[in-house]
Amino acid sequence: MVPVARAAAGRVVQGVVLTTITFSSRDRETVQDLDERFHRSDACDPWVKSFFIHAYRDLFDDIRSVAPAVAVPYNCGTLIAAPNGKLVGIDLTLLENYYGGRDWNVPGWLYDLISDRLDVLIVSHGHWDHCWVELIWSMIRKGKTVIVPEGIRTCAPKFLPQGCRGVADDARFWWNGLHFAFHHNRHVYDGGRGMNVLTTRIWDGRNVYLHTSDADPTDEERFRWHDPHPVDVLLFKFGGVSPFVSDYDALVRTVDLISPRKLLLPIHLNEFGHRGTGAALPYGHTYDVFERYRAEGRLGSRRYAVLFGNRIVRL
C-alpha cells in the first residue's frame, strides 16, 4: 500500500492514503476530536454539514488517481476504485436524506459531481441511511446503472425512479470488467420485518471485496457465503448487531465466518440517525475493540482501518 497525502485546509481530517494501517496516538487524538464534535453537535450544525460535503468532494477528486482503493466517507457508504478505472458506490448517503431531519440543502453541484464520476451505484436496502433517493434520481437521469434488491421498499414521500436494476438472491454477472455477486440477507434486529439486505461481493481482477451492509452476522447460516472465491477486503457493520452479543464477540464471529485475507473495514460508525442507540459507535470505541483484537493475536497478517471523511486506503 502506497501513501499519498492531500492538503485539507480548514478541515479536521487530512485525506490520507494509508500504507501500514496501524493504531497510533495521532489517530486516537483525531477520532477523539471527531467523536466529541459529532456527539455534542446538532446534526445540522454548519461544521458537520461542511465536513461531510467536502469529504465527498475530496474523495471524488482523488480516489481514481490512487486506484485500486477504497473509502468510507460516512455511515455504510463505500467507494471502490477498481484497477480498470471504474468507480463503484455502495449505500452512499448524506444525513439530510433521512430520519425527518432538517434539510441540509445539499448543493446541486455535489449531485452532479457524484453522478458524473460514479459508474454504478449499489443500494443494499430501502432505509434512508443507505438509500439516497435524490442521488438515485440523478444517476438514472444520466443513464447510469443503479442496482437494488428485487422487492426493495422505501417510505413515502420518497420513492425510487423507474430504471433501477433489481437483482434476485444469488444473482451473479459481469459488468464492465467487474464481477458482481449478490446475496439477500436478514437485517440486524429484523424482528419479523422481513427486510432484505443486499450483501455484495465484487471481484475487480485483483481483489475480492465483500460489503455486508446491515446484514446480521449472528445469523451464521445466512451470513456465511458458500463461495469458492476468498475475500480480500471485508466491509461489515460494526456495533449494535445484537442485544445478545458484545461488539468484540460479534467482530470475532464475523471475521471467523468470512476469513478475509487482507483488510477489515468496519462500517456504520458515528452515524447521526442512530446516535445514542448503540447501533453507530464512536470511532474511538471502534479503535479500542480492534486494538484488543490485534493485541490478542487474532488479526494475523491482516490490517484494519477506521475510515471516515476523505480518508482513502490504497490496496
Side-chain angles (χ1 to χ4, degrees), residues 163-197:
C164 297
R165 177 173 180 173
V167 293
D169 191 16
D170 292 326
R172 299 164 189 260
F173 53 85
W174 286 93
W175 179 90
N176 285 286
L178 306 177
H179 189 264
F180 291 154
F182 300 98
H183 181 52
H184 288 198
N185 219 307
R186 188 179 71 172
H187 194 283
V188 294
Y189 289 93
D190 182 76
R193 290 179 297 176
M195 170 68 73
N196 278 332
V197 175

PDB file of all heavy atoms in Angstrom, residues 163-197:
ATOM      1  N   GLY A 163     -36.184   2.382 -13.704  1.00  0.00           N
ATOM      2  CA  GLY A 163     -34.884   2.255 -14.348  1.00  0.00           C
ATOM      3  C   GLY A 163     -33.812   1.637 -13.487  1.00  0.00           C
ATOM      4  O   GLY A 163     -32.713   1.349 -13.980  1.00  0.00           O
ATOM      5  N   CYS A 164     -34.094   1.435 -12.177  1.00  0.00           N
ATOM      6  CA  CYS A 164     -33.133   0.726 -11.332  1.00  0.00           C
ATOM      7  C   CYS A 164     -33.118  -0.754 -11.724  1.00  0.00           C
ATOM      8  O   CYS A 164     -34.136  -1.317 -12.134  1.00  0.00           O
ATOM      9  CB  CYS A 164     -33.499   0.861  -9.859  1.00  0.00           C
ATOM     10  SG  CYS A 164     -33.448   2.551  -9.225  1.00  0.00           S
ATOM     11  N   ARG A 165     -31.978  -1.394 -11.573  1.00  0.00           N
ATOM     12  CA  ARG A 165     -31.851  -2.814 -11.910  1.00  0.00           C
ATOM     13  C   ARG A 165     -32.034  -3.649 -10.643  1.00  0.00           C
ATOM     14  O   ARG A 165     -31.188  -3.630  -9.739  1.00  0.00           O
ATOM     15  CB  ARG A 165     -30.487  -3.088 -12.531  1.00  0.00           C
ATOM     16  CG  ARG A 165     -30.247  -4.565 -12.848  1.00  0.00           C
ATOM     17  CD  ARG A 165     -28.958  -4.785 -13.605  1.00  0.00           C
ATOM     18  NE  ARG A 165     -28.767  -6.208 -13.897  1.00  0.00           N
ATOM     19  CZ  ARG A 165     -27.792  -6.686 -14.674  1.00  0.00           C
ATOM     20  NH1 ARG A 165     -26.929  -5.857 -15.239  1.00  0.00           N
ATOM     21  NH2 ARG A 165     -27.694  -7.992 -14.882  1.00  0.00           N
ATOM     22  N   GLY A 166     -33.117  -4.383 -10.554  1.00  0.00           N
ATOM     23  CA  GLY A 166     -33.354  -5.246  -9.411  1.00  0.00           C
ATOM     24  C   GLY A 166     -32.623  -6.568  -9.562  1.00  0.00           C
ATOM     25  O   GLY A 166     -32.622  -7.154 -10.650  1.00  0.00           O
ATOM     26  N   VAL A 167     -31.998  -7.022  -8.477  1.00  0.00           N
ATOM     27  CA  VAL A 167     -31.276  -8.288  -8.538  1.00  0.00           C
ATOM     28  C   VAL A 167     -31.870  -9.272  -7.539  1.00  0.00           C
ATOM     29  O   VAL A 167     -32.222  -8.926  -6.418  1.00  0.00           O
ATOM     30  CB  VAL A 167     -29.757  -8.113  -8.276  1.00  0.00           C
ATOM     31  CG1 VAL A 167     -29.114  -7.317  -9.406  1.00  0.00           C
ATOM     32  CG2 VAL A 167     -29.494  -7.433  -6.935  1.00  0.00           C
ATOM     33  N   ALA A 168     -31.967 -10.522  -7.980  1.00  0.00           N
ATOM     34  CA  ALA A 168     -32.506 -11.594  -7.152  1.00  0.00           C
ATOM     35  C   ALA A 168     -31.434 -12.131  -6.214  1.00  0.00           C
ATOM     36  O   ALA A 168     -30.230 -11.837  -6.372  1.00  0.00           O
ATOM     37  CB  ALA A 168     -33.045 -12.712  -8.042  1.00  0.00           C
ATOM     38  N   ASP A 169     -31.862 -12.914  -5.247  1.00  0.00           N
ATOM     39  CA  ASP A 169     -30.933 -13.586  -4.351  1.00  0.00           C
ATOM     40  C   ASP A 169     -29.977 -14.460  -5.165  1.00  0.00           C
ATOM     41  O   ASP A 169     -30.396 -15.196  -6.066  1.00  0.00           O
ATOM     42  CB  ASP A 169     -31.726 -14.450  -3.361  1.00  0.00           C
ATOM     43  CG  ASP A 169     -30.859 -14.977  -2.225  1.00  0.00           C
ATOM     44  OD1 ASP A 169     -29.754 -14.452  -2.016  1.00  0.00           O
ATOM     45  OD2 ASP A 169     -31.311 -15.920  -1.553  1.00  0.00           O
ATOM     46  N   ASP A 170     -28.686 -14.356  -4.846  1.00  0.00           N
ATOM     47  CA  ASP A 170     -27.620 -15.125  -5.501  1.00  0.00           C
ATOM     48  C   ASP A 170     -27.418 -14.774  -6.980  1.00  0.00           C
ATOM     49  O   ASP A 170     -26.863 -15.564  -7.735  1.00  0.00           O
ATOM     50  CB  ASP A 170     -27.856 -16.637  -5.353  1.00  0.00           C
ATOM     51  CG  ASP A 170     -27.688 -17.095  -3.908  1.00  0.00           C
ATOM     52  OD1 ASP A 170     -26.833 -16.516  -3.208  1.00  0.00           O
ATOM     53  OD2 ASP A 170     -28.413 -18.004  -3.480  1.00  0.00           O
ATOM     54  N   ALA A 171     -27.842 -13.582  -7.394  1.00  0.00           N
ATOM     55  CA  ALA A 171     -27.557 -13.113  -8.754  1.00  0.00           C
ATOM     56  C   ALA A 171     -26.050 -12.891  -8.916  1.00  0.00           C
ATOM     57  O   ALA A 171     -25.373 -12.414  -7.999  1.00  0.00           O
ATOM     58  CB  ALA A 171     -28.302 -11.810  -9.032  1.00  0.00           C
ATOM     59  N   ARG A 172     -25.546 -13.229 -10.087  1.00  0.00           N
ATOM     60  CA  ARG A 172     -24.119 -13.073 -10.397  1.00  0.00           C
ATOM     61  C   ARG A 172     -24.001 -12.674 -11.859  1.00  0.00           C
ATOM     62  O   ARG A 172     -24.653 -13.266 -12.726  1.00  0.00           O
ATOM     63  CB  ARG A 172     -23.348 -14.377 -10.155  1.00  0.00           C
ATOM     64  CG  ARG A 172     -23.392 -14.852  -8.712  1.00  0.00           C
ATOM     65  CD  ARG A 172     -22.985 -16.304  -8.556  1.00  0.00           C
ATOM     66  NE  ARG A 172     -23.249 -16.760  -7.196  1.00  0.00           N
ATOM     67  CZ  ARG A 172     -22.317 -16.859  -6.246  1.00  0.00           C
ATOM     68  NH1 ARG A 172     -21.068 -16.563  -6.515  1.00  0.00           N
ATOM     69  NH2 ARG A 172     -22.642 -17.257  -5.032  1.00  0.00           N
ATOM     70  N   PHE A 173     -23.140 -11.689 -12.137  1.00  0.00           N
ATOM     71  CA  PHE A 173     -22.952 -11.280 -13.520  1.00  0.00           C
ATOM     72  C   PHE A 173     -21.697 -10.406 -13.637  1.00  0.00           C
ATOM     73  O   PHE A 173     -21.197  -9.856 -12.653  1.00  0.00           O
ATOM     74  CB  PHE A 173     -24.175 -10.517 -14.054  1.00  0.00           C
ATOM     75  CG  PHE A 173     -24.615  -9.346 -13.206  1.00  0.00           C
ATOM     76  CD1 PHE A 173     -24.028  -8.090 -13.343  1.00  0.00           C
ATOM     77  CD2 PHE A 173     -25.644  -9.498 -12.292  1.00  0.00           C
ATOM     78  CE1 PHE A 173     -24.450  -7.009 -12.570  1.00  0.00           C
ATOM     79  CE2 PHE A 173     -26.068  -8.436 -11.503  1.00  0.00           C
ATOM     80  CZ  PHE A 173     -25.468  -7.187 -11.649  1.00  0.00           C
ATOM     81  N   TRP A 174     -21.225 -10.288 -14.881  1.00  0.00           N
ATOM     82  CA  TRP A 174     -20.123  -9.392 -15.206  1.00  0.00           C
ATOM     83  C   TRP A 174     -20.677  -8.034 -15.608  1.00  0.00           C
ATOM     84  O   TRP A 174     -21.717  -7.943 -16.273  1.00  0.00           O
ATOM     85  CB  TRP A 174     -19.283  -9.959 -16.355  1.00  0.00           C
ATOM     86  CG  TRP A 174     -18.425 -11.112 -15.945  1.00  0.00           C
ATOM     87  CD1 TRP A 174     -18.743 -12.439 -16.032  1.00  0.00           C
ATOM     88  CD2 TRP A 174     -17.105 -11.046 -15.394  1.00  0.00           C
ATOM     89  NE1 TRP A 174     -17.711 -13.208 -15.560  1.00  0.00           N
ATOM     90  CE2 TRP A 174     -16.685 -12.371 -15.164  1.00  0.00           C
ATOM     91  CE3 TRP A 174     -16.239 -10.002 -15.080  1.00  0.00           C
ATOM     92  CZ2 TRP A 174     -15.441 -12.671 -14.632  1.00  0.00           C
ATOM     93  CZ3 TRP A 174     -14.992 -10.296 -14.550  1.00  0.00           C
ATOM     94  CH2 TRP A 174     -14.608 -11.618 -14.325  1.00  0.00           C
ATOM     95  N   TRP A 175     -19.978  -6.998 -15.199  1.00  0.00           N
ATOM     96  CA  TRP A 175     -20.368  -5.634 -15.574  1.00  0.00           C
ATOM     97  C   TRP A 175     -19.090  -4.823 -15.793  1.00  0.00           C
ATOM     98  O   TRP A 175     -18.347  -4.582 -14.851  1.00  0.00           O
ATOM     99  CB  TRP A 175     -21.225  -5.012 -14.473  1.00  0.00           C
ATOM    100  CG  TRP A 175     -21.653  -3.596 -14.757  1.00  0.00           C
ATOM    101  CD1 TRP A 175     -22.778  -3.187 -15.395  1.00  0.00           C
ATOM    102  CD2 TRP A 175     -20.926  -2.412 -14.399  1.00  0.00           C
ATOM    103  NE1 TRP A 175     -22.799  -1.822 -15.481  1.00  0.00           N
ATOM    104  CE2 TRP A 175     -21.671  -1.315 -14.876  1.00  0.00           C
ATOM    105  CE3 TRP A 175     -19.730  -2.170 -13.739  1.00  0.00           C
ATOM    106  CZ2 TRP A 175     -21.246   0.004 -14.700  1.00  0.00           C
ATOM    107  CZ3 TRP A 175     -19.302  -0.861 -13.575  1.00  0.00           C
ATOM    108  CH2 TRP A 175     -20.063   0.213 -14.047  1.00  0.00           C
ATOM    109  N   ASN A 176     -18.823  -4.462 -17.041  1.00  0.00           N
ATOM    110  CA  ASN A 176     -17.680  -3.607 -17.376  1.00  0.00           C
ATOM    111  C   ASN A 176     -16.370  -4.062 -16.739  1.00  0.00           C
ATOM    112  O   ASN A 176     -15.634  -3.259 -16.139  1.00  0.00           O
ATOM    113  CB  ASN A 176     -17.970  -2.159 -16.984  1.00  0.00           C
ATOM    114  CG  ASN A 176     -18.944  -1.482 -17.937  1.00  0.00           C
ATOM    115  OD1 ASN A 176     -18.593  -1.131 -19.057  1.00  0.00           O
ATOM    116  ND2 ASN A 176     -20.181  -1.332 -17.492  1.00  0.00           N
ATOM    117  N   GLY A 177     -16.087  -5.363 -16.851  1.00  0.00           N
ATOM    118  CA  GLY A 177     -14.828  -5.896 -16.358  1.00  0.00           C
ATOM    119  C   GLY A 177     -14.802  -6.231 -14.881  1.00  0.00           C
ATOM    120  O   GLY A 177     -13.769  -6.682 -14.367  1.00  0.00           O
ATOM    121  N   LEU A 178     -15.908  -6.016 -14.176  1.00  0.00           N
ATOM    122  CA  LEU A 178     -16.020  -6.365 -12.758  1.00  0.00           C
ATOM    123  C   LEU A 178     -17.029  -7.504 -12.620  1.00  0.00           C
ATOM    124  O   LEU A 178     -18.038  -7.537 -13.332  1.00  0.00           O
ATOM    125  CB  LEU A 178     -16.494  -5.169 -11.927  1.00  0.00           C
ATOM    126  CG  LEU A 178     -15.698  -3.873 -12.062  1.00  0.00           C
ATOM    127  CD1 LEU A 178     -16.343  -2.770 -11.233  1.00  0.00           C
ATOM    128  CD2 LEU A 178     -14.245  -4.077 -11.647  1.00  0.00           C
ATOM    129  N   HIS A 179     -16.765  -8.414 -11.670  1.00  0.00           N
ATOM    130  CA  HIS A 179     -17.729  -9.485 -11.425  1.00  0.00           C
ATOM    131  C   HIS A 179     -18.471  -9.192 -10.125  1.00  0.00           C
ATOM    132  O   HIS A 179     -17.871  -9.012  -9.072  1.00  0.00           O
ATOM    133  CB  HIS A 179     -17.049 -10.849 -11.320  1.00  0.00           C
ATOM    134  CG  HIS A 179     -18.037 -11.977 -11.276  1.00  0.00           C
ATOM    135  ND1 HIS A 179     -18.471 -12.541 -10.093  1.00  0.00           N
ATOM    136  CD2 HIS A 179     -18.715 -12.611 -12.270  1.00  0.00           C
ATOM    137  CE1 HIS A 179     -19.357 -13.485 -10.360  1.00  0.00           C
ATOM    138  NE2 HIS A 179     -19.524 -13.550 -11.668  1.00  0.00           N
ATOM    139  N   PHE A 180     -19.810  -9.131 -10.227  1.00  0.00           N
ATOM    140  CA  PHE A 180     -20.679  -8.868  -9.091  1.00  0.00           C
ATOM    141  C   PHE A 180     -21.397 -10.151  -8.686  1.00  0.00           C
ATOM    142  O   PHE A 180     -21.847 -10.921  -9.545  1.00  0.00           O
ATOM    143  CB  PHE A 180     -21.741  -7.819  -9.426  1.00  0.00           C
ATOM    144  CG  PHE A 180     -21.216  -6.432  -9.636  1.00  0.00           C
ATOM    145  CD1 PHE A 180     -21.907  -5.533 -10.435  1.00  0.00           C
ATOM    146  CD2 PHE A 180     -20.053  -6.004  -9.033  1.00  0.00           C
ATOM    147  CE1 PHE A 180     -21.445  -4.241 -10.627  1.00  0.00           C
ATOM    148  CE2 PHE A 180     -19.576  -4.719  -9.209  1.00  0.00           C
ATOM    149  CZ  PHE A 180     -20.281  -3.831 -10.011  1.00  0.00           C
ATOM    150  N   ALA A 181     -21.517 -10.358  -7.381  1.00  0.00           N
ATOM    151  CA  ALA A 181     -22.357 -11.429  -6.841  1.00  0.00           C
ATOM    152  C   ALA A 181     -23.136 -10.852  -5.668  1.00  0.00           C
ATOM    153  O   ALA A 181     -22.595 -10.069  -4.876  1.00  0.00           O
ATOM    154  CB  ALA A 181     -21.507 -12.615  -6.393  1.00  0.00           C
ATOM    155  N   PHE A 182     -24.416 -11.226  -5.559  1.00  0.00           N
ATOM    156  CA  PHE A 182     -25.292 -10.640  -4.552  1.00  0.00           C
ATOM    157  C   PHE A 182     -26.010 -11.734  -3.767  1.00  0.00           C
ATOM    158  O   PHE A 182     -26.335 -12.793  -4.306  1.00  0.00           O
ATOM    159  CB  PHE A 182     -26.332  -9.726  -5.216  1.00  0.00           C
ATOM    160  CG  PHE A 182     -25.734  -8.593  -5.988  1.00  0.00           C
ATOM    161  CD1 PHE A 182     -25.587  -8.685  -7.359  1.00  0.00           C
ATOM    162  CD2 PHE A 182     -25.306  -7.449  -5.353  1.00  0.00           C
ATOM    163  CE1 PHE A 182     -25.039  -7.651  -8.087  1.00  0.00           C
ATOM    164  CE2 PHE A 182     -24.751  -6.396  -6.061  1.00  0.00           C
ATOM    165  CZ  PHE A 182     -24.612  -6.496  -7.433  1.00  0.00           C
ATOM    166  N   HIS A 183     -26.265 -11.428  -2.504  1.00  0.00           N
ATOM    167  CA  HIS A 183     -26.981 -12.367  -1.645  1.00  0.00           C
ATOM    168  C   HIS A 183     -27.959 -11.579  -0.796  1.00  0.00           C
ATOM    169  O   HIS A 183     -27.592 -10.543  -0.216  1.00  0.00           O
ATOM    170  CB  HIS A 183     -25.984 -13.121  -0.761  1.00  0.00           C
ATOM    171  CG  HIS A 183     -26.597 -14.136   0.148  1.00  0.00           C
ATOM    172  ND1 HIS A 183     -27.463 -15.112  -0.288  1.00  0.00           N
ATOM    173  CD2 HIS A 183     -26.472 -14.327   1.487  1.00  0.00           C
ATOM    174  CE1 HIS A 183     -27.841 -15.863   0.739  1.00  0.00           C
ATOM    175  NE2 HIS A 183     -27.263 -15.395   1.823  1.00  0.00           N
ATOM    176  N   HIS A 184     -29.213 -12.014  -0.736  1.00  0.00           N
ATOM    177  CA  HIS A 184     -30.211 -11.386   0.131  1.00  0.00           C
ATOM    178  C   HIS A 184     -30.028 -11.935   1.544  1.00  0.00           C
ATOM    179  O   HIS A 184     -30.092 -13.148   1.760  1.00  0.00           O
ATOM    180  CB  HIS A 184     -31.624 -11.686  -0.361  1.00  0.00           C
ATOM    181  CG  HIS A 184     -31.989 -10.969  -1.612  1.00  0.00           C
ATOM    182  ND1 HIS A 184     -33.298 -10.809  -2.035  1.00  0.00           N
ATOM    183  CD2 HIS A 184     -31.233 -10.346  -2.543  1.00  0.00           C
ATOM    184  CE1 HIS A 184     -33.319 -10.142  -3.178  1.00  0.00           C
ATOM    185  NE2 HIS A 184     -32.074  -9.855  -3.507  1.00  0.00           N
ATOM    186  N   ASN A 185     -29.845 -11.041   2.484  1.00  0.00           N
ATOM    187  CA  ASN A 185     -29.609 -11.450   3.854  1.00  0.00           C
ATOM    188  C   ASN A 185     -30.631 -10.815   4.781  1.00  0.00           C
ATOM    189  O   ASN A 185     -31.439  -9.987   4.354  1.00  0.00           O
ATOM    190  CB  ASN A 185     -28.177 -11.054   4.266  1.00  0.00           C
ATOM    191  CG  ASN A 185     -27.514 -12.109   5.119  1.00  0.00           C
ATOM    192  OD1 ASN A 185     -28.055 -12.535   6.124  1.00  0.00           O
ATOM    193  ND2 ASN A 185     -26.321 -12.531   4.705  1.00  0.00           N
ATOM    194  N   ARG A 186     -30.584 -11.205   6.052  1.00  0.00           N
ATOM    195  CA  ARG A 186     -31.525 -10.664   7.025  1.00  0.00           C
ATOM    196  C   ARG A 186     -30.930  -9.433   7.693  1.00  0.00           C
ATOM    197  O   ARG A 186     -29.760  -9.400   8.044  1.00  0.00           O
ATOM    198  CB  ARG A 186     -31.840 -11.716   8.099  1.00  0.00           C
ATOM    199  CG  ARG A 186     -32.957 -11.289   9.041  1.00  0.00           C
ATOM    200  CD  ARG A 186     -33.255 -12.363  10.054  1.00  0.00           C
ATOM    201  NE  ARG A 186     -32.194 -12.507  11.043  1.00  0.00           N
ATOM    202  CZ  ARG A 186     -32.271 -13.274  12.122  1.00  0.00           C
ATOM    203  NH1 ARG A 186     -33.352 -13.992  12.325  1.00  0.00           N
ATOM    204  NH2 ARG A 186     -31.274 -13.358  12.962  1.00  0.00           N
ATOM    205  N   HIS A 187     -31.761  -8.409   7.883  1.00  0.00           N
ATOM    206  CA  HIS A 187     -31.347  -7.182   8.543  1.00  0.00           C
ATOM    207  C   HIS A 187     -31.144  -7.433  10.038  1.00  0.00           C
ATOM    208  O   HIS A 187     -31.863  -8.223  10.646  1.00  0.00           O
ATOM    209  CB  HIS A 187     -32.419  -6.107   8.339  1.00  0.00           C
ATOM    210  CG  HIS A 187     -31.983  -4.717   8.682  1.00  0.00           C
ATOM    211  ND1 HIS A 187     -31.887  -4.267   9.986  1.00  0.00           N
ATOM    212  CD2 HIS A 187     -31.597  -3.679   7.900  1.00  0.00           C
ATOM    213  CE1 HIS A 187     -31.489  -3.007   9.985  1.00  0.00           C
ATOM    214  NE2 HIS A 187     -31.298  -2.632   8.734  1.00  0.00           N
ATOM    215  N   VAL A 188     -30.152  -6.756  10.630  1.00  0.00           N
ATOM    216  CA  VAL A 188     -29.990  -6.841  12.085  1.00  0.00           C
ATOM    217  C   VAL A 188     -31.269  -6.352  12.765  1.00  0.00           C
ATOM    218  O   VAL A 188     -31.978  -5.484  12.246  1.00  0.00           O
ATOM    219  CB  VAL A 188     -28.780  -6.001  12.564  1.00  0.00           C
ATOM    220  CG1 VAL A 188     -27.479  -6.582  12.051  1.00  0.00           C
ATOM    221  CG2 VAL A 188     -28.909  -4.547  12.138  1.00  0.00           C
ATOM    222  N   TYR A 189     -31.565  -6.926  13.913  1.00  0.00           N
ATOM    223  CA  TYR A 189     -32.789  -6.575  14.644  1.00  0.00           C
ATOM    224  C   TYR A 189     -34.017  -6.674  13.732  1.00  0.00           C
ATOM    225  O   TYR A 189     -34.886  -5.816  13.748  1.00  0.00           O
ATOM    226  CB  TYR A 189     -32.702  -5.148  15.213  1.00  0.00           C
ATOM    227  CG  TYR A 189     -31.737  -4.997  16.348  1.00  0.00           C
ATOM    228  CD1 TYR A 189     -30.422  -4.606  16.113  1.00  0.00           C
ATOM    229  CD2 TYR A 189     -32.121  -5.230  17.660  1.00  0.00           C
ATOM    230  CE1 TYR A 189     -29.517  -4.461  17.147  1.00  0.00           C
ATOM    231  CE2 TYR A 189     -31.231  -5.080  18.710  1.00  0.00           C
ATOM    232  CZ  TYR A 189     -29.926  -4.702  18.439  1.00  0.00           C
ATOM    233  OH  TYR A 189     -29.030  -4.555  19.470  1.00  0.00           O
ATOM    234  N   ASP A 190     -34.089  -7.713  12.954  1.00  0.00           N
ATOM    235  CA  ASP A 190     -35.151  -7.814  11.950  1.00  0.00           C
ATOM    236  C   ASP A 190     -36.529  -7.833  12.588  1.00  0.00           C
ATOM    237  O   ASP A 190     -37.451  -7.187  12.104  1.00  0.00           O
ATOM    238  CB  ASP A 190     -34.937  -9.067  11.093  1.00  0.00           C
ATOM    239  CG  ASP A 190     -35.980  -9.208  10.008  1.00  0.00           C
ATOM    240  OD1 ASP A 190     -35.890  -8.485   9.003  1.00  0.00           O
ATOM    241  OD2 ASP A 190     -36.910 -10.027  10.185  1.00  0.00           O
ATOM    242  N   GLY A 191     -36.684  -8.602  13.645  1.00  0.00           N
ATOM    243  CA  GLY A 191     -37.945  -8.622  14.375  1.00  0.00           C
ATOM    244  C   GLY A 191     -39.149  -8.996  13.525  1.00  0.00           C
ATOM    245  O   GLY A 191     -40.253  -8.506  13.759  1.00  0.00           O
ATOM    246  N   GLY A 192     -38.933  -9.823  12.514  1.00  0.00           N
ATOM    247  CA  GLY A 192     -40.037 -10.256  11.675  1.00  0.00           C
ATOM    248  C   GLY A 192     -40.399  -9.311  10.551  1.00  0.00           C
ATOM    249  O   GLY A 192     -41.363  -9.542   9.822  1.00  0.00           O
ATOM    250  N   ARG A 193     -39.619  -8.217  10.380  1.00  0.00           N
ATOM    251  CA  ARG A 193     -39.956  -7.255   9.331  1.00  0.00           C
ATOM    252  C   ARG A 193     -39.726  -7.825   7.938  1.00  0.00           C
ATOM    253  O   ARG A 193     -40.315  -7.363   6.969  1.00  0.00           O
ATOM    254  CB  ARG A 193     -39.110  -5.987   9.491  1.00  0.00           C
ATOM    255  CG  ARG A 193     -39.468  -5.150  10.711  1.00  0.00           C
ATOM    256  CD  ARG A 193     -38.580  -3.932  10.810  1.00  0.00           C
ATOM    257  NE  ARG A 193     -37.179  -4.294  11.002  1.00  0.00           N
ATOM    258  CZ  ARG A 193     -36.187  -3.400  11.041  1.00  0.00           C
ATOM    259  NH1 ARG A 193     -36.446  -2.128  10.868  1.00  0.00           N
ATOM    260  NH2 ARG A 193     -34.941  -3.792  11.247  1.00  0.00           N
ATOM    261  N   GLY A 194     -38.846  -8.804   7.826  1.00  0.00           N
ATOM    262  CA  GLY A 194     -38.565  -9.380   6.520  1.00  0.00           C
ATOM    263  C   GLY A 194     -37.849  -8.431   5.589  1.00  0.00           C
ATOM    264  O   GLY A 194     -38.050  -8.480   4.372  1.00  0.00           O
ATOM    265  N   MET A 195     -37.022  -7.544   6.140  1.00  0.00           N
ATOM    266  CA  MET A 195     -36.282  -6.583   5.335  1.00  0.00           C
ATOM    267  C   MET A 195     -35.064  -7.262   4.723  1.00  0.00           C
ATOM    268  O   MET A 195     -34.147  -7.664   5.432  1.00  0.00           O
ATOM    269  CB  MET A 195     -35.843  -5.400   6.204  1.00  0.00           C
ATOM    270  CG  MET A 195     -34.852  -4.446   5.550  1.00  0.00           C
ATOM    271  SD  MET A 195     -35.535  -3.498   4.174  1.00  0.00           S
ATOM    272  CE  MET A 195     -36.592  -2.342   5.052  1.00  0.00           C
ATOM    273  N   ASN A 196     -35.076  -7.418   3.403  1.00  0.00           N
ATOM    274  CA  ASN A 196     -33.925  -7.983   2.722  1.00  0.00           C
ATOM    275  C   ASN A 196     -32.803  -6.964   2.638  1.00  0.00           C
ATOM    276  O   ASN A 196     -33.026  -5.800   2.299  1.00  0.00           O
ATOM    277  CB  ASN A 196     -34.297  -8.432   1.301  1.00  0.00           C
ATOM    278  CG  ASN A 196     -34.954  -9.788   1.275  1.00  0.00           C
ATOM    279  OD1 ASN A 196     -34.717 -10.624   2.145  1.00  0.00           O
ATOM    280  ND2 ASN A 196     -35.791 -10.013   0.278  1.00  0.00           N
ATOM    281  N   VAL A 197     -31.590  -7.408   2.956  1.00  0.00           N
ATOM    282  CA  VAL A 197     -30.392  -6.582   2.820  1.00  0.00           C
ATOM    283  C   VAL A 197     -29.497  -7.238   1.785  1.00  0.00           C
ATOM    284  O   VAL A 197     -29.191  -8.433   1.880  1.00  0.00           O
ATOM    285  CB  VAL A 197     -29.652  -6.457   4.166  1.00  0.00           C
ATOM    286  CG1 VAL A 197     -28.339  -5.708   3.983  1.00  0.00           C
ATOM    287  CG2 VAL A 197     -30.524  -5.755   5.186  1.00  0.00           C
TER     288      VAL A 197
END
